[in-house]
Amino acid sequence: MTGMDDDTLRRIIGRSDPARSMASADDHDITRLMEEAMSDTRSTPQSTSGAPSASRRPWLFGGLGVLGAAAAAAVAVPLALGPASSVTVLEQPAAGGPAAMCAVLTPEFVAEADSAFRAEVTGIDGGTVTLHVLDRFAGEVGDTIEVPQGTSAGVDGEAITFEASTTYLLATRDGMVLTCGTSGVDSPELDAIYTRAFSG
Amino acid sequence: MKDGARDRTVNDVSTMSTDRERRFEVIVRTCIDPLRGYLARRTDQATADDVLSETLSALWRRLDDVPEDAPIAWSIGVARLQLRNSERAARRRGRLIARILTVDPPSETMPVAGTDDAAEDVARAMAGLREADAELLRLWIWDELEPRQIATVLGITANAVSIRLHRAKKRFEDLYRKDRRANGHDQVKEGDGR
């Protein structure tokens, strides 16, 4: 069997492109979008919401009709989604310890986190740990993270006790660092789970 | 501060702002249609509008981080994460409704432009691929990104993209040919799909 060349593949798959006949955005659309983007940022520079707000520009994709969706395949990508130079303040669970029930860590569980990122500890000042975000897997977090230092020995479910100059993989929900092994020191094993969690 | 010094400061700030806005406009004009196409291919109209807005806001906030030589790939990478955020939030809120067909596996709901046999064969072959393989082909063909640009979008190396893309092409071809034969369609010809 003779393999298809790239041009043939492009023709075959390309003709099924649902946006093939999409018209270009006109100047009016572009101007409106730019103004909205700039005004959004200026009015809410510290926004960390990961969920887009209610639909505001139904005109922009008009004419395409309702299209089905496909979640994009994804792995960790060091893109900066967070507000520039902003600080995201997180909390750690107060509970934990031997009574905590920790489920087996799975990519599916990690995938439901609000945010997931890799960050390095840059300072520990009293009870506050400061981390610098290196990669973002999901969600919007600032470049800098502040989180209370744990004081325990790290028994199941307890707050993480961060160590200086160490890199961690952290997942959060509702502003709380997920523990029970969901967040921890960066390792090939945990990295593999995070990668699978956000690989589409 | 003397008035003259203050005026210079005001003028400097004004010039900086103008330069920043000018660069933003260049990036938006470069990236807007690739972004709209990327989103239109992967989600419904309302979500596409919202994610585009969020993406442009992120580009404005992080204008200094947008690479000069890869603004399209970088911005699609941002849109991709914003779309995932949107989908995750929708799932968790329990407001996933039928018009937003983002439940797994997404490839089964992939829309196609054509309605003839060849287009249906393409849709079936794409649906038979692993989602990661199908997405590579979509990024390469539909979004017209080169491997190095896909690498930027996905956060992996260009070499890894090339290897995976080669594999995805082969898998697609195998499925497509098998499906065409099973349905009694002609063999793939050079002009097929034109």
Side-chain angles (χ1 to χ4, degrees):
Chain A
M1 181 171 66
T2 303
M4 291 184 198
D5 60 26
D6 283 357
D7 286 344
T8 303
L9 272 175
R10 286 183 194 276
R11 278 197 299 273
I12 290 174
I13 299 175
R15 74 188 307 268
S16 298
D17 178 0
R20 190 169 59 152
S21 58
M22 189 175 194
S24 296
D26 62 30
D27 281 348
H28 180 66
D29 295 346
I30 293 171
T31 301
R32 284 184 60 177
L33 278 167
M34 284 180 55
E35 288 174 352
E36 287 170 1
M38 291 187 290
S39 61
D40 272 0
T41 304
R42 286 165 180 167
S43 60
T44 56
Q46 295 301 310
S47 170
T48 57
S49 169
S53 55
S55 180
R56 286 167 294 194
R57 278 156 296 279
W59 46 269
L60 190 66
F61 287 82
L64 268 180
V66 176
L67 299 173
V75 294
V77 54
L79 288 174
L81 285 180
S85 304
S86 67
V87 177
T88 298
V89 178
L90 299 172
E91 296 297 328
Q92 290 226 66
M101 298 291 288
C102 290
V104 175
L105 182 60
T106 64
E108 290 74 22
F109 180 78
V110 176
E112 293 303 311
D114 290 337
S115 68
F117 53 93
R118 179 181 283 108
E120 180 182 13
V121 176
T122 55
I124 302 175
D125 182 11
T128 300
V129 180
T130 304
L131 301 99
H132 176 66
V133 175
L134 303 173
D135 297 339
R136 292 170 174 84
F137 290 81
E140 288 200 34
V141 293
D143 290 342
T144 302
I145 302 294
E146 289 183 358
V147 62
Q149 174 70 305
T151 56
S152 64
V155 181
D156 280 356
E158 290 182 323
I160 295 170
T161 303
F162 291 92
E163 296 181 9
S165 303
T166 301
T167 300
Y168 291 81
L169 286 168
L170 299 171
T172 75
R173 186 174 299 161
D174 298 328
M176 187 80 70
V177 173
L178 296 172
T179 57
C180 273
T182 306
S183 301
V185 174
D186 190 3
S187 67
E189 293 77 16
L190 194 55
D191 180 75
I193 289 175
Y194 274 51
T195 299
R196 282 187 60 196
F198 301 104
S199 62
Chain B
M1 180 185 295
K2 293 181 178 179
D3 286 349
R6 185 171 60 217
D7 288 346
R8 279 195 298 278
T9 303
V10 169
N11 288 337
D12 287 348
V13 170
S14 176
T15 302
M16 283 170 51
S17 175
T18 301
D19 287 347
R20 182 177 170 81
E21 290 176 6
R22 194 173 296 128
R23 177 158 191 256
F24 183 54
E25 180 174 0
V26 169
I27 289 172
V28 169
R29 287 188 180 278
T30 301
C31 300
I32 189 75
D33 285 332
L35 279 172
R36 291 169 66 239
Y38 173 86
L39 293 169
R41 293 172 182 116
R42 290 163 177 82
T43 191
D44 62 283
Q45 180 179 319
T47 305
D49 285 331
D50 287 338
V51 173
L52 179 64
S53 174
E54 295 295 328
T55 300
L56 293 184
S57 292
L59 291 180
W60 171 247
R61 286 197 301 266
R62 307 307 301 258
L63 195 60
D64 294 340
D65 296 327
V66 181
E68 295 275 358
D69 58 346
I72 293 175
W74 201 88
S75 63
I76 287 178
V78 172
R80 170 176 158 271
L81 293 186
Q82 295 282 6
L83 181 58
R84 291 183 62 81
N85 288 346
S86 173
E87 291 167 344
R88 189 177 302 109
R91 281 199 300 271
R92 220 179 31 245
R93 286 195 301 268
R95 294 199 286 105
L96 190 61
I97 52 178
R99 71 176 178 82
I100 307 175
L101 304 175
T102 56
V103 290
D104 292 334
S107 54
E108 291 180 355
T109 61
M110 175 54 60
V112 295
T115 57
D116 56 17
D117 288 342
E120 290 175 4
D121 290 341
V122 170
R124 273 194 295 273
M126 292 289 274
L129 292 173
R130 290 170 55 238
E131 171 53 24
D133 287 343
E135 179 62 5
L136 270 178
L137 291 174
R138 289 193 289 266
L139 288 167
W140 178 55
I141 296 177
W142 287 0
D143 297 303
E144 300 180 355
L145 300 178
E146 297 299 321
R148 63 180 172 77
Q149 294 175 300
I150 297 173
T152 299
V153 172
L154 300 180
I156 57 180
T157 66
N159 189 46
V161 170
S162 295
I163 292 169
R164 294 180 194 180
L165 188 57
H166 177 77
R167 203 165 50 207
K169 291 176 190 174
K170 181 70 171 60
R171 286 172 178 159
F172 171 84
E173 182 181 345
D174 290 346
L175 286 170
Y176 182 75
R177 287 183 184 278
K178 185 178 175 183
D179 195 73
R180 297 282 286 176
R181 277 196 297 271
N183 287 287
H185 299 148
D186 293 336
Q187 290 290 311
V188 176
K189 300 185 291 291
E190 271 303 296
D192 205 357
R194 197 185 299 271

